Amino acid sequence: MKSFILSIFSWLIFSRTYADVYVITYATFKGKTGHTAIALDNYEILHYEKIVDSQIVSRYDTLKTQRLTYFDLWPKEDSKMTILRTLPPEYNLLPRSSSEQSITIESLIEKGLPHRQGYLSDGILRIKTSPFQDFILKDYIKKLIDEAKPFNTRTYNCTDFCLEAVNFLTGWKVEAKEFIPMHRSNTPNKFYKVLVKNYKVEIVQNAGKKVNGSFIRERLIKGIFKKKSRK
């Protein structure tokens, strides 16, 4: 058993197989707050044996399952004063069990978040990684969740959580700050645009013009007008 575990660990380190990480953007647009999430490819390790020079040799290979492990952060309670308050956090690692519906790129685009019905993704960016990088990143994200840092729109929000994970994974020093009254904060729209413009990412789903607006204009100003139009 010990030799098997060492073999798997060695394979994870030296494997050239890609197991991608995805940054998912829900644009701040027309009064919507917006959101950022991160997901990792799941894969199965296939073990087989073959004969090399008359000897039986173990080999390992990777098969992507097309299913994702999805992480995000929300405030646990909704509040009209969310921007001004520090709130208890709701960290998600989904699916929570094998009995829950699988999450895929297609489901995020066509059906939306499994825990926020109808909230369809606007943009998805892919970062190429290895199984070993994913293994380390997943452990790092779980540690962030265990820390249970409180949610605050201006100082530690959904984008901060994902940005922290991306910087750990890549060694990049990404910042995506824009002005939100009395503070410069990382925001979903800015994070998406900075990654596309300055870093090696692949666009899986193009958010287009939805991410062009600032947080103040799209969330605060248009949010106020949207409420008035409903009265």
Side-chain angles (χ1 to χ4, degrees):
M1 176 60 74
K2 185 177 180 181
S3 62
F4 175 74
I5 293 173
L6 288 173
S7 297
I8 292 294
F9 189 70
S10 176
W11 173 84
L12 282 170
I13 293 175
F14 296 109
S15 173
R16 295 182 181 180
T17 303
Y18 288 115
D20 304 326
V21 168
Y22 303 88
V23 176
I24 301 112
T25 299
Y26 306 84
T28 304
F29 183 67
K30 292 186 177 180
K32 289 185 178 180
T33 303
H35 186 59
T36 306
I38 191 166
L40 285 68
D41 264 328
N42 291 332
Y43 52 88
E44 295 175 352
I45 299 174
L46 304 179
H47 174 231
Y48 60 95
E49 295 179 338
K50 63 184 298 185
I51 297 175
V52 179
D53 295 332
S54 301
Q55 292 185 335
I56 298 176
V57 179
S58 291
R59 288 288 184 264
Y60 301 92
D61 204 354
T62 299
L63 177 65
K64 284 188 180 182
T65 65
Q66 306 303 320
R67 298 187 296 272
L68 304 175
T69 300
Y70 177 101
F71 302 89
D72 69 5
L73 165 64
W74 296 79
K76 187 168 285 187
E77 59 186 63
D78 291 326
S79 169
K80 294 180 180 179
M81 297 298 291
T82 294
I83 292 177
L84 303 177
R85 292 178 56 197
T86 297
L87 299 168
E90 177 190 308
Y91 288 92
N92 291 294
L93 188 168
L94 302 171
R96 296 180 182 88
S97 70
S98 58
S99 63
E100 292 189 349
Q101 186 174 359
S102 297
I103 301 170
T104 65
I105 293 296
E106 290 74 20
S107 72
L108 292 172
I109 295 172
E110 298 170 5
K111 299 179 182 178
L113 291 179
H115 57 313
R116 294 289 191 281
Q117 190 174 6
Y119 200 173
L120 305 179
S121 63
D122 294 305
I124 299 177
L125 303 176
R126 177 190 284 120
I127 302 172
K128 288 290 186 184
T129 61
S130 69
F132 180 67
Q133 286 176 298
D134 281 13
F135 177 80
I136 297 298
L137 179 61
K138 189 175 288 188
D139 185 62
Y140 179 77
I141 294 175
K142 287 179 180 178
K143 288 178 180 176
L144 291 181
I145 292 174
D146 289 341
E147 288 175 9
K149 194 170 181 177
F151 180 96
N152 186 290
T153 298
R154 292 178 296 181
T155 60
Y156 197 76
N157 57 46
C158 58
T159 302
D160 290 293
F161 171 64
C162 295
L163 188 151
E164 205 170 343
V166 167
N167 282 341
F168 173 82
L169 169 71
T170 61
W172 300 339
K173 296 181 180 179
V174 184
E175 280 196 1
K177 294 184 183 295
E178 60 176 291
F179 180 74
I180 298 177
M182 308 307 292
H183 203 280
R184 286 183 59 78
S185 304
N186 291 306
T187 64
N189 289 8
K190 188 76 170 181
F191 190 31
Y192 179 93
K193 290 188 292 184
V194 166
L195 286 177
V196 169
K197 183 178 180 180
N198 300 312
Y199 296 93
K200 192 174 181 179
V201 298
E202 178 186 340
I203 298 175
V204 177
Q205 181 188 19
N206 195 334
K209 295 181 180 180
K210 283 187 175 182
V211 294
N212 285 350
S214 68
F215 190 90
I216 289 179
R217 186 178 73 188
E218 297 296 333
R219 173 64 180 91
L220 300 182
I221 296 175
K222 290 189 178 181
I224 290 171
F225 285 124
K226 192 172 182 179
K227 287 180 182 178
K228 286 183 177 179
S229 66
R230 289 175 178 174
K231 291 182 180 180

